[in-house]
Each structure stands twice: as structure tokens, then as C-alpha cells.
Amino acid sequence: MSRLAHGASIIRAKVRTLPSAPGCYRMISAGGEVLYVGKAKDLKKRVTSYTLPNRQANRIQRMIAETATMEFMTTHTEVEALLLEANLIKRYRPRFNVLLRDDKSFPYILITADHAAPQITKHRGARNRPGQYFGPFASAGAVNRTIVALQRAFLLRPCSDSIFASRTRPCLQYQIKRCSAPCVGRISPEDYAALVEEARDFLTGKSDKVKQRLAAEMQSASDALEFERAAKLRDRLQAFALIQSRQDIYLEGVEEADIIAAYHESGHTCIQVFFFRNHGNYGNRAYFPAHDKTTEPPEILAAFMAQFYENKTPPRLILVNEMPAEIELLTEALTLRAGAKVEILEPKRGDKRKPVEHALANAKEALARRMAESASQAKLMTGMAEIFDLETPPKRIEVYDNSHISGTNAYGCMIVAGPDGFMKNQYRKFGIKPANIEAGEAPIEPGDDYAMMRQVLTRRFTRALKEDPDDTHATWPDLVLIDGGQGQLSVTLEVFAELGIDDVAVASIAKGPDRNAGRERFFMPGREPFGLDPKHPVLYYLQRLRDEAHRFAIGTHRAKRSADIAKSPLDEVAGIGAKRKKALLMHFGSARAVAQAGLTDLATVPGISETVAKVIYDHFHPN
């Protein structure tokens, strides 16, 4: 029996017990990989179609051939099935589905409401802090630029509450006219509250009202010969102009909307999303969903929108350049997600058509750049195969580096690159652990790079052998690059020999004399060390790989070191949380003073009972 017929027979056996109800299904391979997630109004009817594979497209036939089992979940409605499908696709990332690859959370502007002098700040993540949120913005850069302009326009403080409480004189933000210094009373609470209210009005689309009021105040100040005050009001008006000058397209009369434009060419798709909130343009972002080349644009757009809004609140209006598939179902699902009516429109003419065409032009340009970059990357992969004697261009390159200071806070790090560039979701960090002497491991001396590299590689590839021995999930590298010379290469080869790995190409890259870029030496088993022409494009690419590994390792090490510096001896005392820790430090002044305090003194601290005082005392006086 062929694989296709075998897969169809497995699906046929599942159909017998399926209900004629809405729900989702997962097609799973013999290795446990989720191949595809689908939804259906009638599960029995939908899955039955897979039992006749000869009527299906090639992509579906490949999927059926790999199916070893299926799992099902019923829902009350087809809309619930669509929402569940989007959630499951994002969780399992099946390779036969249309996948939204980059789905980071969007930043917002927050004006806090839990302080007498509200703060303006960037916020990302769960909206737990009291205050008013404005966004989403397309990027952190767009938020930062807007906040700086808003500071100039409204003079709101950007500092944290702890810094605010500790100020005794105005900071630099006041000197450069980006803050009104409410921390030291340079502005009255009433006047600061008025600035906050103006900022809220501006961010909720009432910018004309605010500008007219300021223009009138400026004219009044000028007439009264109060030129310094008039100049300050002029600067604030110029800040408004700066904010609006960055908004290259507008939606006249629309308070909130998303523009989604998809451009499809040669089996690849770019989707541009523009965000309009509170009558303003909050920027745009390009997406390149992964999909089979035979997938039609309406199906791609529908899958993208379902996944895109899976963890975001849709706006009341979504403008598209072409209607997605199953438009009624998608609209109903997004309305349910938003808790209010959502409308999806494809404008053919008028004021709403122009911004859609602008978004489509952006999508076309972004896809052209992406395809040009992919072509250049493909040439680099071919060059890598030639230089390192690989049979085919590598699809996965792993680069390893260590970082530490005299052995402290030691980390080994792995970065991953491939035909589409750096694969940052595949990066890994390895905290160096003490050697297991009882298991016969040699102790790791501080600063022993060879021992650290041995541990990192052993952990990485032992796990790969355990979890994916046949490389069914494409987690094995075609090329391993080690930052170092002959010594690091020898360690790598020893680890691979111990683990029985003989089909992974290995090379080490060492800095040249005087550590000058362009004079690197490469070491490979069975070959003499060699270099490349300083202007060779593959050498530039290898330098980028090495530098990225170095950046990631250094950043990981510094983060750990900073965390250790911020630690207090009180953190190690059982039963001492943030509140008690603060009370002890406020009473004694330092952790060292707490450690030297007597039992009676500890018990006098507010919130510290005699029992807790005994725990603290015993911790610092174990004998």
C-alpha cells in the first residue's frame, strides 16, 4: 500500500466515529508533529473529503501521505471553531498551514492614573497598570518618537515613580524643555493636571481643539508682551506639527481602522498593516506569512487575519485591497473577538481607496526587497557550500560562542541562520553548570573556554539525539561554526565522536593577526587552515555570523551579571518578601547592617515578628 493510500485509510477509520458538528481537527505525523490544523462547520463531512486523495491538490496529498493519526475538538459554532483554529495554529505552527511568522506584541503609549502626577511612558504586554492606553503603534521607534514630541508639547514627566520621589532638583529633561518638573514643584498640581488633560485630548483625536487653544494663548501672551511665555507656547505648537508631519497618509473622518493590503507574486506574499487610531496614523508593519506556493491570496489573507487578531482587539473598521475567503465567518469571528461590530470593506473608489492603494504599494516594494535579499542570501549559501565542502547549500547554520569574566556568570550561546537570515526564535543560551564529579566529569576551571564549549555542545547535541534523532523537525544543523581556533575545533570533534555524530560539517573561525577583520583563519578537519579574500562576500557574511554570536553571548552574560549585582543578601532569607525587605532596609539602611543586627533589634522593625526576626538572625548567624 502506498503512503498516500495508507494515510487515507487512517483518516477513513477516524471518520466513522466523527459527529456532524462544528470543530477543529489536527493531522499528526508518525513522529508526533502536527502537520495541519483545520476547522469545519461539519467535521464528519469535512474530514471525509480527505478519504478521496486523488481529488485533492498536490499539497493536500502530501499532507494525507504523512498523516499517522488525527485529533478532534468540537465547538458550539463554526465561529468558535475559527477562533480555536487560529489559536492552535499559533501554538503548533503546522507546516501545511498559512503561518504568521512574526507576531510580536505591539507597543502602546500609557498615561498613568495611579499617581498624583501622571507619567507618560511606553508600554508593552498586559495592560494591568491603571491609566489610559493609546495605540497600538507599529514599532517601538514610532512610540519613542511620539513620546519625545509629546514631552515637548505637553511637558509630561517620563520618569518612574521611584525616581520622581527621590528628586530634590529638576533633571536634564526639565533643562531641555521636555518636562515641567512636577517632582520639585516647578508647576502646580492644577496646572500639571491641565497639561495631562490636554495630552489626553490630543491623543484621542481632539488635536484641533488643543492647537486652537494654545494658539489663542500664544497670541494673548504676545499681546501682553509676555514673550517668554509666548515662545514656550510656540515651541509646543511646533511639537504638534512634528507629530503630524510623520503621518504620511490619513483616513478622513475615521476614528479607528486597520488597513490590510496583500501583494502576491511568484508564490510569495507580503501583507502590509497600517494602524489608524484616534484619527491618527500610528505606523505600519510588513508581514511575510509562510504558505504553500499554490495557496490563493484570499485564503492567505483570511488565515493571516484570523491569526493576527487572535491576541489583539480588532478595530471597528478593516479596509482590505481584496476580500478574504469566508468573509461572513471571519467578520462574525472578529466581531466576537472585539465585543463590538467589526466591518471589513474593500473600497473601490473615494477617500478610503487611496490609503489602501498606498498600503498595497508598500507591500509590493517590501516584497521586492525581500525577494532581492533572498536571492543574495541564496548566493551566499551556495558560496558557503563551496568553501566548506558541503553537498548542498546549508539550510541551518549554528554558531557557538562563550562569554564570561574570569569564569563568573559564564554562558555559552548558540545563534542560528539560514536562507531567510537569522532565525532568532531558534537562539539558545546555556548557563555553564558545575561539573558532575561523581559522574566522572572533569572540573571546569574558571575561564576554561574548552571545557565550557565541551559542556555546551554536549548538552545541545545530546538533547537533539534524544528529541529528534532522525531530523524530522529540521533541528539539526548542516554546518556548525565555532568561534575560536584549532583548540575549539578539536573539542567539537571530540564531543561529536563521543556522541557518534559524523554527518555534521564543523569549522572554527579565528581572528587573524592583531585581531583584524578580514584576516580570519578557518580550521576544518582534514584541511590546512585557510583564509578568504578580504573582499569576498562570504567572508563578510561569516563575520556577521560571528559578530552576531558574540553580541548574543555578551548580552546574555551582561544581563546575568547585572541581575547578580542587583541581588541583595536578604533575597536568600526564607520568608522575606519585597515588603519586609523594604522595611528592613528602611530601618537599618543596608543589608550589611541587617546581617549584623541583634535579635531584639530585628524584632523592633515594623512588620517583623519575633518568629521572623529569629529566622533572619539564624540565617546570618548559622553557628
Side-chain angles (χ1 to χ4, degrees):
M1 183 184 294
S2 69
R3 291 181 61 196
L4 182 60
H6 179 66
S9 67
I10 290 172
I11 297 172
R12 197 174 295 112
K14 296 288 184 181
V15 168
R16 298 192 188 104
T17 57
L18 278 182
S20 296
C24 289
Y25 57 93
R26 281 174 279 173
M27 305 176 82
I28 303 171
S29 71
E33 177 193 3
V34 177
L35 301 169
Y36 182 77
V37 172
K39 58 103 177 64
K41 184 177 181 180
D42 184 325
L43 277 173
K44 190 180 189 73
K45 186 175 180 181
R46 180 73 183 91
V47 176
T48 299
S49 66
Y50 293 118
T51 63
L52 302 171
N54 292 329
R55 299 182 182 179
Q56 304 289 347
N58 289 336
R59 175 175 70 96
I60 305 300
Q61 289 184 0
R62 296 198 310 271
M63 188 170 73
I64 294 171
E66 292 191 42
T67 299
T69 186
M70 293 184 73
E71 293 181 357
F72 306 91
M73 296 178 70
T74 58
T75 59
H76 292 97
T77 65
E78 189 180 6
V79 171
E80 290 181 10
L82 176 62
L83 296 173
L84 177 61
E85 178 193 41
N87 181 280
L88 293 174
I89 288 172
K90 292 182 75 171
R91 184 192 306 176
Y92 294 111
R93 307 195 67 77
R95 54 189 164 96
F96 285 99
N97 282 96
V98 175
L99 297 179
L100 173 57
R101 301 186 203 186
D102 176 19
D103 191 30
K104 298 176 183 176
S105 63
F106 293 98
Y108 285 75
I109 287 177
L110 166 64
I111 296 181
T112 62
D114 55 357
H115 196 281
Q119 170 196 10
I120 185 168
T121 184
K122 179 175 66 178
H123 180 88
R124 195 192 292 268
R127 295 190 238 175
N128 298 325
R129 189 174 180 185
Q132 198 164 357
Y133 294 83
F134 304 93
F137 285 80
S139 66
V143 170
N144 292 336
R145 289 192 300 270
T146 304
I147 287 178
V148 168
L150 289 170
Q151 283 180 253
R152 289 177 55 195
F154 301 106
L155 307 177
L156 302 188
R157 68 175 181 98
C159 60
S160 65
D161 292 351
S162 59
I163 292 176
F164 180 94
S166 65
R167 296 301 306 179
T168 57
R169 60 181 182 176
C171 67
L172 181 62
Q173 293 291 325
Y174 175 78
Q175 306 297 335
I176 62 176
K177 300 178 182 179
R178 288 187 187 173
C179 180
S180 51
C183 53
V184 292
R186 294 296 174 95
I187 184 173
S188 68
E190 295 77 16
D191 288 344
Y192 189 79
L195 291 176
V196 172
E197 191 59 32
E198 286 182 353
R200 290 195 180 111
D201 283 347
F202 185 85
L203 287 168
T204 52
K206 301 173 185 176
S207 56
D208 290 341
K209 171 185 169 184
V210 177
K211 286 192 292 184
Q212 289 170 9
R213 185 165 65 241
L214 287 179
E217 288 182 24
M218 182 179 70
Q219 186 62 49
S220 176
S222 178
D223 293 343
L225 304 183
E226 297 176 1
F227 298 119
E228 185 175 350
R229 180 166 172 264
K232 289 180 179 179
L233 292 167
R234 178 204 62 203
D235 292 343
R236 293 179 62 191
L237 283 167
Q238 288 176 346
F240 290 139
L242 177 64
I243 297 172
Q244 293 182 328
S245 69
R246 297 183 181 277
Q247 301 183 1
D248 51 350
I249 61 173
Y250 297 90
L251 272 175
E252 190 69 32
V254 176
E255 182 179 353
E256 68 166 22
D258 284 347
I259 296 178
I260 300 178
Y263 182 78
H264 188 82
E265 181 181 341
S266 304
H268 300 277
T269 303
C270 174
I271 297 178
Q272 280 278 351
V273 183
F274 279 75
F275 305 98
F276 289 85
R277 298 293 186 274
N278 303 312
H279 302 280
N281 179 1
Y282 282 9
N284 63 294
R285 186 182 290 186
Y287 294 89
F288 301 90
H291 58 82
D292 188 87
K293 291 187 177 182
T294 61
T295 310
E296 294 296 323
E299 184 182 345
I300 297 168
L301 197 53
F304 170 84
M305 292 174 67
Q307 293 174 54
F308 183 75
Y309 290 113
E310 192 272 333
N311 60 350
K312 305 173 187 68
T313 302
R316 285 171 287 184
L317 176 63
I318 300 173
L319 301 179
V320 295
N321 68 311
E322 64 177 306
M323 280 298 187
E326 299 182 299
I327 182 63
E328 294 85 3
L329 180 63
L330 182 61
T331 301
E332 190 177 348
L334 296 185
T335 296
L336 183 64
R337 173 76 64 192
K341 182 175 175 55
V342 172
E343 191 175 12
I344 302 174
L345 295 178
E346 180 190 355
K348 300 294 185 181
R349 62 184 66 84
D351 293 339
K352 292 184 176 66
R353 182 62 190 175
K354 184 177 179 181
V356 171
E357 290 176 347
H358 182 86
L360 183 61
N362 274 262
K364 184 176 181 179
E365 292 170 5
L367 183 61
R369 288 194 299 270
R370 176 86 167 203
M371 293 176 71
E373 291 169 1
S374 296
S376 299
Q377 190 76 3
K379 290 181 181 178
L380 288 173
M381 294 297 104
T382 302
M384 292 279 284
E386 293 173 356
I387 289 169
F388 293 107
D389 296 331
L390 307 178
E391 293 182 2
T392 58
K395 294 182 179 178
R396 181 183 174 100
I397 302 168
E398 293 183 359
V399 190
Y400 293 84
D401 192 14
N402 294 331
S403 183
H404 60 90
I405 293 181
S406 300
T408 62
N409 298 317
Y411 270 89
C413 290
M414 172 188 85
I415 70 153
V416 184
D420 294 325
F422 292 117
M423 303 158 64
K424 294 195 175 183
N425 63 336
Q426 299 288 313
Y427 286 16
R428 296 293 181 266
K429 56 187 76 170
F430 302 84
I432 302 301
K433 302 176 181 178
N436 187 347
I437 306 299
E438 294 180 359
E441 295 179 2
I444 298 178
E445 299 295 332
D448 188 344
D449 282 327
Y450 295 160
M452 292 179 193
M453 187 60 69
R454 177 185 296 277
Q455 183 183 119
V456 168
L457 293 169
T458 300
R459 286 164 59 183
R460 156 70 178 113
F461 287 98
T462 298
R463 183 168 182 172
L465 286 168
K466 179 181 178 181
E467 296 182 352
D468 190 18
D470 300 322
D471 196 20
T472 55
H473 301 302
T475 58
W476 280 77
D478 301 301
L479 174 65
V480 168
L481 286 174
I482 309 295
D483 184 26
Q486 184 64 55
Q488 281 81 0
L489 176 66
S490 298
V491 167
T492 306
L493 295 176
E494 288 172 8
V495 170
F496 281 13
E498 291 168 5
L499 297 177
I501 299 171
D502 57 7
D503 55 351
V504 175
V506 184
S508 63
I509 174 171
K511 295 182 177 66
D514 302 321
R515 306 177 72 82
N516 289 337
R519 303 178 68 185
E520 286 82 0
R521 303 289 290 168
F522 298 92
F523 298 82
M524 292 189 71
R527 290 177 60 177
E528 291 294 321
F530 62 94
L532 297 175
D533 186 293
K535 296 183 179 180
H536 199 299
V538 173
L539 178 59
Y540 290 138
Y541 180 63
L542 288 164
Q543 290 168 352
R544 281 181 57 206
L545 293 177
R546 181 199 58 204
D547 293 346
E548 173 68 2
H550 193 57
R551 179 203 64 79
F552 186 55
I554 287 286
T556 302
H557 162 75
R558 285 177 177 167
K560 174 63 175 173
R561 191 176 67 197
S562 298
D564 285 353
I565 290 172
K567 281 185 178 178
S568 167
L570 297 177
D571 294 334
E572 301 175 5
V573 183
I576 300 299
K579 192 172 181 180
R580 284 174 172 165
K581 176 182 170 183
K582 182 178 180 180
L584 288 165
L585 292 174
M586 291 292 289
H587 185 87
F588 290 104
S590 69
R592 178 178 292 180
V594 175
Q596 295 172 349
L599 187 58
T600 304
D601 293 333
L602 289 168
T604 62
V605 178
I608 304 296
S609 65
E610 290 186 4
T611 303
V612 175
K614 183 75 165 57
V615 170
I616 298 170
Y617 185 83
D618 290 346
H619 177 84
F620 291 111
H621 303 84
N623 297 322

Short mmCIF file of all heavy atoms in Angstrom, two decimals, residues 182-209:
data_model
loop_
_atom_site.label_atom_id
_atom_site.label_comp_id
_atom_site.label_asym_id
_atom_site.label_seq_id
_atom_site.Cartn_x
_atom_site.Cartn_y
_atom_site.Cartn_z
N PRO A 182 7.24 68.50 37.85
CA PRO A 182 6.30 68.44 38.98
C PRO A 182 6.93 67.81 40.22
O PRO A 182 6.43 67.99 41.33
CB PRO A 182 5.16 67.58 38.43
CG PRO A 182 5.80 66.71 37.40
CD PRO A 182 6.85 67.57 36.77
N CYS A 183 8.04 67.09 40.04
CA CYS A 183 8.69 66.40 41.16
C CYS A 183 9.20 67.38 42.22
O CYS A 183 9.29 67.04 43.40
CB CYS A 183 9.84 65.53 40.64
SG CYS A 183 11.02 66.43 39.61
N VAL A 184 9.58 68.58 41.81
CA VAL A 184 10.13 69.56 42.75
C VAL A 184 9.27 70.83 42.80
O VAL A 184 9.74 71.89 43.23
CB VAL A 184 11.60 69.91 42.40
CG1 VAL A 184 12.50 68.72 42.62
CG2 VAL A 184 11.70 70.41 40.95
N GLY A 185 8.02 70.72 42.32
CA GLY A 185 7.10 71.82 42.47
C GLY A 185 7.30 72.98 41.53
O GLY A 185 6.85 74.10 41.82
N ARG A 186 7.97 72.77 40.38
CA ARG A 186 8.12 73.86 39.42
C ARG A 186 6.81 74.16 38.68
O ARG A 186 6.74 75.11 37.93
CB ARG A 186 9.23 73.53 38.41
CG ARG A 186 10.62 73.43 39.03
CD ARG A 186 11.06 74.78 39.59
NE ARG A 186 12.33 74.70 40.30
CZ ARG A 186 13.51 74.95 39.77
NH1 ARG A 186 13.57 75.29 38.48
NH2 ARG A 186 14.61 74.87 40.49
N ILE A 187 5.83 73.31 38.87
CA ILE A 187 4.50 73.53 38.31
C ILE A 187 3.49 73.08 39.35
O ILE A 187 3.73 72.10 40.08
CB ILE A 187 4.31 72.76 36.97
CG1 ILE A 187 2.96 73.08 36.34
CG2 ILE A 187 4.47 71.26 37.18
CD1 ILE A 187 2.78 72.48 34.93
N SER A 188 2.39 73.79 39.44
CA SER A 188 1.39 73.43 40.45
C SER A 188 0.65 72.17 40.03
O SER A 188 0.55 71.87 38.82
CB SER A 188 0.39 74.58 40.61
OG SER A 188 -0.40 74.73 39.43
N PRO A 189 0.10 71.42 40.98
CA PRO A 189 -0.67 70.21 40.64
C PRO A 189 -1.82 70.51 39.69
O PRO A 189 -2.12 69.71 38.79
CB PRO A 189 -1.17 69.71 41.99
CG PRO A 189 -0.18 70.23 42.98
CD PRO A 189 0.25 71.56 42.44
N GLU A 190 -2.48 71.67 39.85
CA GLU A 190 -3.60 72.02 38.98
C GLU A 190 -3.14 72.26 37.55
O GLU A 190 -3.78 71.79 36.59
CB GLU A 190 -4.31 73.27 39.52
CG GLU A 190 -4.99 73.08 40.88
CD GLU A 190 -3.98 73.10 42.04
OE1 GLU A 190 -2.84 73.57 41.81
OE2 GLU A 190 -4.34 72.64 43.14
N ASP A 191 -2.04 72.99 37.38
CA ASP A 191 -1.52 73.26 36.03
C ASP A 191 -1.01 71.98 35.37
O ASP A 191 -1.17 71.79 34.16
CB ASP A 191 -0.40 74.30 36.09
CG ASP A 191 -0.94 75.70 36.41
OD1 ASP A 191 -2.15 75.91 36.27
OD2 ASP A 191 -0.12 76.56 36.80
N TYR A 192 -0.38 71.10 36.17
CA TYR A 192 0.11 69.83 35.60
C TYR A 192 -1.08 68.98 35.16
O TYR A 192 -1.05 68.34 34.09
CB TYR A 192 0.96 69.08 36.61
CG TYR A 192 1.66 67.87 36.02
CD1 TYR A 192 2.82 68.01 35.27
CD2 TYR A 192 1.14 66.59 36.18
CE1 TYR A 192 3.45 66.92 34.70
CE2 TYR A 192 1.76 65.48 35.61
CZ TYR A 192 2.92 65.65 34.88
OH TYR A 192 3.53 64.56 34.31
N ALA A 193 -2.15 68.97 35.97
CA ALA A 193 -3.35 68.21 35.60
C ALA A 193 -3.94 68.74 34.30
O ALA A 193 -4.45 67.96 33.47
CB ALA A 193 -4.38 68.27 36.72
N ALA A 194 -3.84 70.06 34.08
CA ALA A 194 -4.34 70.63 32.84
C ALA A 194 -3.51 70.16 31.64
O ALA A 194 -4.05 69.87 30.56
CB ALA A 194 -4.31 72.16 32.93
N LEU A 195 -2.18 70.05 31.83
CA LEU A 195 -1.32 69.53 30.76
C LEU A 195 -1.68 68.08 30.43
O LEU A 195 -1.72 67.68 29.26
CB LEU A 195 0.15 69.63 31.17
CG LEU A 195 0.76 71.02 31.26
CD1 LEU A 195 2.20 70.93 31.77
CD2 LEU A 195 0.74 71.73 29.91
N VAL A 196 -1.92 67.30 31.47
CA VAL A 196 -2.29 65.89 31.27
C VAL A 196 -3.59 65.79 30.49
O VAL A 196 -3.73 64.98 29.56
CB VAL A 196 -2.42 65.16 32.62
CG1 VAL A 196 -2.98 63.76 32.43
CG2 VAL A 196 -1.06 65.08 33.32
N GLU A 197 -4.55 66.63 30.82
CA GLU A 197 -5.83 66.61 30.13
C GLU A 197 -5.66 67.01 28.67
O GLU A 197 -6.29 66.43 27.76
CB GLU A 197 -6.81 67.55 30.83
CG GLU A 197 -8.24 67.41 30.37
CD GLU A 197 -8.79 66.00 30.58
OE1 GLU A 197 -8.37 65.33 31.56
OE2 GLU A 197 -9.60 65.55 29.74
N GLU A 198 -4.79 67.99 28.39
CA GLU A 198 -4.52 68.39 27.01
C GLU A 198 -3.89 67.24 26.22
O GLU A 198 -4.22 67.00 25.06
CB GLU A 198 -3.60 69.61 26.98
CG GLU A 198 -4.28 70.91 27.37
CD GLU A 198 -3.33 72.09 27.26
OE1 GLU A 198 -2.12 71.87 27.01
OE2 GLU A 198 -3.78 73.23 27.42
N ALA A 199 -2.97 66.53 26.87
CA ALA A 199 -2.32 65.39 26.20
C ALA A 199 -3.34 64.32 25.87
O ALA A 199 -3.32 63.73 24.77
CB ALA A 199 -1.23 64.82 27.09
N ARG A 200 -4.26 64.06 26.81
CA ARG A 200 -5.31 63.06 26.55
C ARG A 200 -6.20 63.51 25.39
O ARG A 200 -6.57 62.70 24.53
CB ARG A 200 -6.14 62.84 27.81
CG ARG A 200 -5.40 62.10 28.93
CD ARG A 200 -6.38 61.60 29.98
NE ARG A 200 -5.68 60.90 31.06
CZ ARG A 200 -5.57 61.36 32.30
NH1 ARG A 200 -6.11 62.54 32.62
NH2 ARG A 200 -4.94 60.67 33.23
N ASP A 201 -6.55 64.80 25.38
CA ASP A 201 -7.37 65.31 24.28
C ASP A 201 -6.67 65.12 22.94
O ASP A 201 -7.28 64.70 21.95
CB ASP A 201 -7.67 66.81 24.50
CG ASP A 201 -8.75 67.04 25.55
OD1 ASP A 201 -9.43 66.06 25.92
OD2 ASP A 201 -8.88 68.18 26.02
N PHE A 202 -5.38 65.43 22.92
CA PHE A 202 -4.63 65.32 21.67
C PHE A 202 -4.57 63.87 21.19
O PHE A 202 -4.79 63.57 20.01
CB PHE A 202 -3.21 65.85 21.87
CG PHE A 202 -2.39 65.87 20.61
CD1 PHE A 202 -2.47 66.93 19.73
CD2 PHE A 202 -1.54 64.82 20.28
CE1 PHE A 202 -1.73 66.95 18.56
CE2 PHE A 202 -0.80 64.82 19.12
CZ PHE A 202 -0.89 65.90 18.25
N LEU A 203 -4.32 62.93 22.11
CA LEU A 203 -4.18 61.52 21.75
C LEU A 203 -5.52 60.87 21.44
O LEU A 203 -5.55 59.78 20.85
CB LEU A 203 -3.48 60.76 22.87
CG LEU A 203 -1.97 61.03 23.00
CD1 LEU A 203 -1.42 60.47 24.30
CD2 LEU A 203 -1.21 60.44 21.82
N THR A 204 -6.61 61.48 21.82
CA THR A 204 -7.93 60.93 21.48
C THR A 204 -8.53 61.62 20.26
O THR A 204 -9.73 61.51 20.01
CB THR A 204 -8.89 61.05 22.68
OG1 THR A 204 -8.89 62.41 23.16
CG2 THR A 204 -8.50 60.12 23.79
N GLY A 205 -7.70 62.35 19.52
CA GLY A 205 -8.15 62.91 18.25
C GLY A 205 -8.66 64.33 18.32
O GLY A 205 -9.17 64.85 17.32
N LYS A 206 -8.54 64.98 19.48
CA LYS A 206 -9.03 66.36 19.60
C LYS A 206 -7.88 67.34 19.43
O LYS A 206 -7.76 68.32 20.16
CB LYS A 206 -9.70 66.55 20.96
CG LYS A 206 -10.87 65.60 21.20
CD LYS A 206 -11.39 65.71 22.62
CE LYS A 206 -12.48 64.68 22.89
NZ LYS A 206 -12.93 64.70 24.30
N SER A 207 -7.01 67.09 18.47
CA SER A 207 -5.81 67.91 18.29
C SER A 207 -6.14 69.33 17.86
O SER A 207 -5.50 70.29 18.29
CB SER A 207 -4.87 67.25 17.28
OG SER A 207 -5.54 67.04 16.06
N ASP A 208 -7.16 69.50 17.00
CA ASP A 208 -7.51 70.85 16.54
C ASP A 208 -7.96 71.72 17.70
O ASP A 208 -7.60 72.90 17.78
CB ASP A 208 -8.62 70.77 15.49
CG ASP A 208 -8.12 70.18 14.17
OD1 ASP A 208 -6.90 70.18 13.96
OD2 ASP A 208 -8.95 69.70 13.38
N LYS A 209 -8.72 71.14 18.60
CA LYS A 209 -9.20 71.87 19.78
C LYS A 209 -8.03 72.34 20.63
O LYS A 209 -7.98 73.49 21.08
CB LYS A 209 -10.14 70.97 20.58
CG LYS A 209 -10.56 71.51 21.93
CD LYS A 209 -11.38 70.44 22.66
CE LYS A 209 -11.59 70.82 24.12
NZ LYS A 209 -12.30 69.75 24.86
#
